Amino acid sequence: MLRILVPVDGSENATRVVEFVIMLAAKLKETDIHLITVRDPMDSLEAHRLRTDEQIRLFNQQAGESTLASGRKLLKEAGVPYTANILIGEVAQTIADYAKVQHCDMIIMGTRGVGTISGFLMGSVASKVVPLASIPVTLVR
């Protein structure tokens, strides 16, 4: 069974990634899909001045669920089983760490996400994940 990590950020590119994974899962038959989104930690003094830890946790949970919604819907409609998680941490390192802890065989992710700079061939998160990961990383445009 091929264990595939699919980090998403709610962008159109992330939707294409999930569609690619669905096509791949149909061909392979035996896959274990891990759909994740990673939220940056809100550890700043400013964030805590304006919100309690519980409010920050609830915000991250709600935002994470919203980010995962499209991917969940596509996978469910395609009948592809998956596990979904919302993680907190530095995005690229958290993706690489999750892949290692969960013994994933590969990471499939987008080249561009919801970042503000659109001129790069490869998004900043993807460009950071590639050298951090100890497994193959497939990038989808």
Side-chain angles (χ1 to χ4, degrees):
M1 180 180 308
L2 189 64
R3 185 168 287 168
I4 303 171
L5 175 57
V6 184
V8 296
D9 62 3
S11 66
E12 285 183 35
N13 189 247
T15 298
R16 287 192 297 277
V17 170
V18 174
E19 290 168 344
F20 176 78
V21 168
I22 289 168
M23 179 202 60
L24 188 61
K27 291 181 180 187
L28 294 174
K29 304 291 183 203
E30 295 273 333
T31 57
D32 181 15
I33 308 297
H34 289 253
L35 183 71
I36 66 166
T37 190
V38 181
R39 307 279 309 153
D40 280 320
M42 297 178 77
D43 287 339
S44 73
L45 181 59
E46 188 68 22
H48 286 284
R49 218 180 80 204
L50 300 173
R51 295 186 166 93
T52 66
D53 286 345
E54 181 61 15
Q55 288 171 320
I56 292 171
R57 189 192 68 71
L58 285 172
F59 173 80
N60 281 327
Q61 184 67 32
Q62 291 170 346
E65 289 296 339
S66 177
T67 301
L68 290 172
S70 176
R72 283 181 184 267
K73 182 177 185 238
L74 289 170
L75 289 162
K76 184 176 180 180
E77 288 173 354
V80 176
Y82 66 94
T83 301
N85 285 292
I86 300 164
L87 307 173
I88 307 296
E90 191 284 316
V91 179
Q93 188 66 57
T94 302
I95 291 168
D97 291 347
Y98 182 92
K100 189 172 191 169
V101 169
Q102 295 298 320
H103 306 289
C104 293
D105 298 302
M106 67 184 311
I107 299 169
I108 301 179
M109 64 187 298
T111 56
R112 290 190 197 155
V114 294
T116 57
I117 300 172
S118 61
F120 293 126
L121 285 174
M122 184 167 54
S124 63
V125 173
S127 66
K128 291 177 185 175
V129 169
V130 170
L132 291 172
S134 58
I135 58 175
V137 179
T138 299
L139 301 176
V140 177
R141 303 193 300 149

